[in-house]
Every structure is written in C-alpha cells, then in structure tokens.
Amino acid sequence: MEEIHEECGVFGIFCNRIQDVAISVYYGLYALQHRGQESCGICVNDDGYFRFYKQAGLVGDIFTPEALQKLGRGNMAVGHVRYATTGSGDARNAQPIVVNHKKGKMALAHNGNLTNTSVLRSALESRGAIFHSTGDSEVIAYQITKERLKSPSIEAAIERAMLRLRGAYSLVILSATKMIAVRDPNAFRPLCFGKRKDGAYVVASESCALDAVGAEFIRDLDAGEILVFEQSGVRSIRTHCKKRAATPCIFEYIYFARPDSVLDGVSVHEARKRAGKILAQTYPVAADIVIGVPDSGLDAAVGYAEASGIPLDVGFIKNKYIGRTFISPSAERRSDGVKIKLNVVKNVVEGKRVVLIDDSIVRGTTSGRIVKLLKDAGAREVHLRISAPPFLFPCYFGTDIDSQEHLIACKYSVEEIAKLLSADSLGYLPLQRIEEMLGKKRPFSVCKACFCGKYPLRVAKDTGKNRFEQKLGQFDDLKEE
C-alpha cells in the first residue's frame, strides 16, 4: 500500500444515565485509528451541556488522562478520527464539529466526501454563512442547521438536508437530547450499531470498534437510513432508503477496514483471503514462498498460499511504533524511511523465489523500494501480486485519489510497470472478478469507479482535496448537479 490514505472513523455512544462516556469513545477511536491518523476529537453531552476537545495527532497522544478527565461524564458522546479527503489535515479541520444555533446545540462527526461541496458552500456563504474550516463536514453541519430553523426536530432537519447532500456521508450527530446516525443513500461508507449489557447503544464505522467497548453487534445501517437514539428507545427513519442502489466502496474490503471487522455482512478477512485465492488462480507462478506486505497484504497472502500450495512465511517485520507523525526523510533518503518502517527477514527470503502480495500500486515508488529490499536481502526472484485492479480513475467519495496525474497505471502497461519496479512478474486482481472477493451471499453491488470509471453519482469538476485552501476567486463549476 502506498500514497492512498484512510478516510475517517466515527463513533458514538448513547446511555440512559450519566457515566464515563468519554472513556468508551476513547477506546472506540483507538479501534478506528487505522481509518485516520491526522486528527481526532471527542464531544461529551452532559444533559445538554457540551464539552469537547479536538486536536491534530493520534488518539493516544491527544487524549491524555488529564484531557479525558476534563471532558467529564455525560449520557452521550461522539468521537472522530480524521484523514483529510477535503481540506487540510491541521487542527482547524478536526472533528467533531460543534455548533450553537437558535434551536440548541449540535455536534457532528463525518466519514466520507461530498461531491457538491462547492455548490452548497457557495449558496450558504451568499446567505451570510462564515466557515471556520476548509472541509466539507462543516458544510453538512451548516446545511442541517439551516434546515433546523424551519423543522420541528433535529431528525426532520437532517431528513430535509439529505435532499441537498450528494456523495458519501456516514454521520453521527448529537443534539441536546438525542444521538442520530445517518448513512447516505448509496451507503458508500460503513456504519453499524450495537448494544452493551448496560443498555448503552453504540454506533461506529466498523464492528471492531463495537468489540472494543463490549457492545454486541446488532446490524449495519441501511443505505439512506436515519437512526434516532433517545430515552424512549431507537427509531428508524427510512424516507431516503431505496432511493438509490446501495454501492459500498470496494476499497473498504481491499484496504480501509480492519480485517476483524464485518461490513454489510461480509467478513473483511475472508474477503481479502478470497482475493488472494483469485490471484493464485489467475496468476500462478513457480515460487518457494509467499509473503505479504504488512499489514495490508497479509490476509490476501494467506489466500494465495492456500490456493497455490506455496508455503506462507513472514518476510517483513513492521516497526509498529511508526505512525503518521514519523518524520519523512528527504527525497534522497526515502529508501532509508522504508527500511525503518519495514525490515526484511533475510534468512526467509535469501535464495528464494518470492511471491509478494500487496493491496495496491499507486505511484509505484514504495512498491519499487519494497521489491529492492527483498532483492538486496538475496531474493532470487520477486513476483508481485496485487489484490486490487489497477487504479485508473479518481475517487470522489472519500478515497484520497483526486486526479489521474500520479497514477502509474495510467502511464504504463502492466509489463512496463513490472520492469520499472524491478519485479520478475506482476499480476493485478482482474476487474471482472473483483466482486467475487465478497462471496456469494452479498445482497448489494459495490462502487469500483476508481478501477473502471463508472461512477454511481454524477460528480462536479471542482473536487480537488485542497480546493478551499485556494485564494478567493479561484472557484468554478458551481452549478448544481
């Protein structure tokens, strides 16, 4: 995996009594840290009084015991870990977004990416809205707040706001008395909920976060569903359900989600194993060992080894103490950076023909360095197998690929890429077989537009990640879809 980043993770908890909800959110965010490592935040609702803290950095660094103590106790809370797909990754774009408005307070955490942000932001600014961040999540918060002024309830305002929102959004929202979970009509990004033995309801991007706080999984939210958690129980609002075909992002299964999560009924670990088996069937090769690139290639490597009969082994040791705060080396020392993050187990690969499994190739730079590490350690041959098709198109729904400019597969053939990476052979997961990785019982299709260019929604031209970091007067394409 290289140059593709996670999106965001959201987590919420609703209790019938005051308790240490911030601790539960802390554990939940720790379980979702893989989805975003730029910033994090928690907002606690103490019977209508909001206390929040958010900052750039990792969960364990930002939420010290002192910070958690200051958040205090409450009956509900929401948390967020972020990787920026719209707007920069600094503290001003950290979430949850907390809003005070005429009819009360709201805290919002968002995973996904809107495709009509420029249109909505321009319309809101023309009516006097002042934005403090450069992300699309504040646009969602403003749109809901705008609808709240003429709606009888927060959930009615969300229902109305969804008529204007386009793109990917899984949301957890707090009002003074309710927690609300929302999944967009295409269900691009995952969102599920469960219940603890103490009666608390928990909402999270992935089921692994439910496990982290002792909550039993109930189900995934349906596409377009709004779930309202309040003292009287849980209500489902289905006004926007079945308006569009559900198209969850295939890259959640290939890379984003944790292997121990289950998304929309599909085990992520099993999906990746099936991808490895498909690779073994499609691109067999005479080799001595199969190894996976930690951590994203490990599950597919298991599948490849099982299907091929080639022994699986540990070829790399990953330095688990390096996160996104690691200081990137200068251009001439980048190979040293790869060595610090990954170290080859020399006696495993020396003199061997190696099948190397990874989840994707973007620019090709990191993949080339990993192949070189193996050959420098004495590997006789390196056969690279990728558990995804080639990236050929931008993603507008939350994956950090906003142009074709740096995609190596747009410039070179498979054979040319193999040569550039010094690999002895290269094989990608065939596009026509990609949905096989999800198994036979899957009741939905998937979005695979980054591989084939067929988008489930129309998208605007002005979708660059940092478009709101530009100078005034540089926006265009502000027509509504």
Side-chain angles (χ1 to χ4, degrees):
M1 184 65 198
E2 54 169 332
E3 308 298 342
I4 298 294
H5 297 289
E6 303 83 356
E7 319 125 341
C8 300
V10 298
F11 187 91
I13 183 168
F14 181 93
C15 311
N16 285 317
R17 58 183 176 82
I18 301 295
Q19 57 178 277
D20 289 326
V21 287
I23 295 294
S24 294
V25 178
Y26 172 79
Y27 290 141
L29 293 184
Y30 236 129
L32 296 172
Q33 184 75 88
H34 60 285
R35 296 187 67 85
Q37 300 178 35
E38 288 188 347
S39 65
C40 56
I42 296 174
C43 178
V44 171
N45 181 345
D46 182 5
D47 199 21
Y49 179 73
F50 284 23
R51 289 184 295 270
F52 65 94
Y53 182 60
K54 53 185 179 178
Q55 194 56 258
L58 300 174
V59 174
D61 296 332
I62 299 305
F63 289 103
T64 61
E66 294 76 19
L68 290 170
Q69 187 175 16
K70 286 180 181 179
L71 286 170
R73 293 158 61 85
N75 64 313
M76 63 181 106
V78 64
H80 188 269
V81 289
R82 183 174 193 261
Y83 176 77
T85 52
T86 298
S88 65
D90 58 25
R92 64 180 162 160
N93 286 320
Q95 296 184 39
I97 292 171
V98 180
V99 177
N100 293 299
H101 58 93
K102 186 176 180 180
K103 290 195 174 182
K105 296 181 178 180
M106 179 180 72
L108 177 146
H110 167 220
N111 172 211
N113 199 58
L114 296 187
T115 60
N116 64 336
T117 304
S118 296
V119 174
L120 296 179
R121 182 168 173 140
S122 178
L124 289 165
E125 285 177 327
S126 69
R127 295 181 178 94
I130 298 173
F131 288 89
H132 300 281
S133 70
T134 56
D136 56 348
S137 304
E138 191 177 9
V139 173
I140 297 174
Y142 259 109
Q143 193 67 40
I144 294 171
T145 302
K146 175 174 171 285
E147 298 296 346
R148 182 67 182 96
L149 297 176
K150 51 189 175 183
S151 301
S153 64
I154 181 69
E155 59 267 31
I158 293 168
E159 196 175 354
R160 288 171 62 94
M162 287 175 70
L163 295 171
R164 297 295 311 278
L165 304 179
R166 301 284 184 273
Y169 53 94
S170 286
L171 310 172
V172 181
I173 298 168
L174 300 184
S175 72
T177 60
K178 301 168 185 175
M179 180 175 76
I180 301 166
V182 185
R183 198 174 184 192
D184 72 73
N186 285 89
F188 284 114
R189 299 296 155 207
L191 196 63
C192 63
F193 77 104
K195 191 175 184 181
R196 291 198 313 205
K197 290 181 180 179
D198 64 0
Y201 284 100
V202 178
V203 176
S205 291
E206 295 182 34
S207 61
C208 66
L210 303 184
D211 299 335
V213 297
E216 183 178 352
F217 174 85
I218 295 177
R219 65 176 176 88
D220 299 278
L221 271 74
D222 290 330
E225 186 176 15
I226 302 170
L227 271 185
V228 182
F229 299 85
E230 51 195 343
Q231 292 296 329
S232 58
V234 184
R235 287 186 289 122
S236 174
I237 300 173
R238 307 185 65 82
T239 311
H240 295 284
C241 293
K242 296 186 178 179
K243 284 193 172 181
R244 300 193 188 108
T247 53
C249 172
I250 188 63
F251 217 64
E252 291 283 353
Y253 299 94
I254 293 171
Y255 172 70
F256 287 142
R258 246 173 57 169
D260 52 333
S261 288
V262 177
L263 307 182
D264 292 307
V266 177
S267 162
V268 175
H269 171 68
E270 292 298 328
R272 292 174 186 171
K273 277 183 62 178
R274 280 190 287 268
K277 290 179 180 180
I278 294 168
L279 280 172
Q281 296 162 6
T282 311
Y283 299 104
V285 66
D288 302 304
I289 58 169
V290 176
I291 63 174
V293 176
D295 292 313
S296 53
L298 299 180
D299 303 273
V302 172
Y304 193 102
E306 287 183 2
S308 65
I310 301 170
L312 178 71
D313 212 329
V314 176
F316 293 102
I317 300 299
K318 182 180 180 181
N319 188 335
K320 64 182 73 175
Y321 302 104
I322 293 180
R324 296 209 187 279
T325 52
F326 174 67
I327 300 171
S328 298
S330 58
E332 63 270 18
R333 300 295 300 277
R334 291 248 171 88
S335 59
D336 291 343
V338 174
K339 290 177 184 177
I340 292 169
K341 293 181 180 182
L342 290 177
N343 195 39
V344 181
V345 184
K346 187 173 181 180
N347 66 314
V348 170
V349 304
E350 190 172 19
K352 304 284 182 61
R353 298 168 298 174
V354 177
V355 179
L356 175 66
I357 310 292
D358 203 356
D359 65 273
S360 61
I361 301 175
V362 186
R363 298 171 185 258
T365 50
T366 302
S367 297
R369 292 179 189 121
I370 291 173
V371 171
K372 186 176 186 302
L373 286 179
L374 290 172
K375 292 202 169 182
D376 287 348
R380 187 150 50 100
E381 298 174 6
V382 177
H383 300 276
L384 186 56
R385 299 293 180 263
I386 305 299
S387 60
F391 278 112
L392 295 170
F393 300 92
C395 172
Y396 302 105
F397 309 115
T399 303
D400 186 30
I401 308 176
D402 59 3
S403 77
Q404 295 175 299
E405 182 182 357
H406 300 296
L407 300 178
I408 192 171
C410 291
K411 301 176 182 178
Y412 303 101
S413 68
V414 173
E415 292 75 17
E416 288 171 334
I417 295 171
K419 188 175 181 180
L420 286 168
L421 303 183
S422 299
D424 293 275
S425 69
L426 171 63
Y428 288 95
L429 188 73
L431 178 62
Q432 64 271 24
R433 299 192 65 182
I434 192 170
E435 294 196 30
E436 289 181 37
M437 70 182 293
L438 302 180
K440 296 179 180 179
K441 297 182 179 180
R442 159 187 57 80
F444 55 86
S445 185
V446 291
C447 177
K448 47 183 184 288
C450 53
F451 305 128
C452 67
K454 295 180 180 178
Y455 298 98
L457 293 174
R458 288 178 57 199
V459 293
K461 294 177 183 177
D462 184 21
T463 53
K465 171 181 172 180
N466 294 316
R467 59 193 179 277
F468 299 117
E469 310 284 345
Q470 302 175 60
K471 295 179 181 179
L472 293 175
Q474 293 186 2
F475 304 121
D476 57 8
D477 194 39
L478 295 183
K479 285 187 176 182
E480 178 62 276
E481 297 175 45

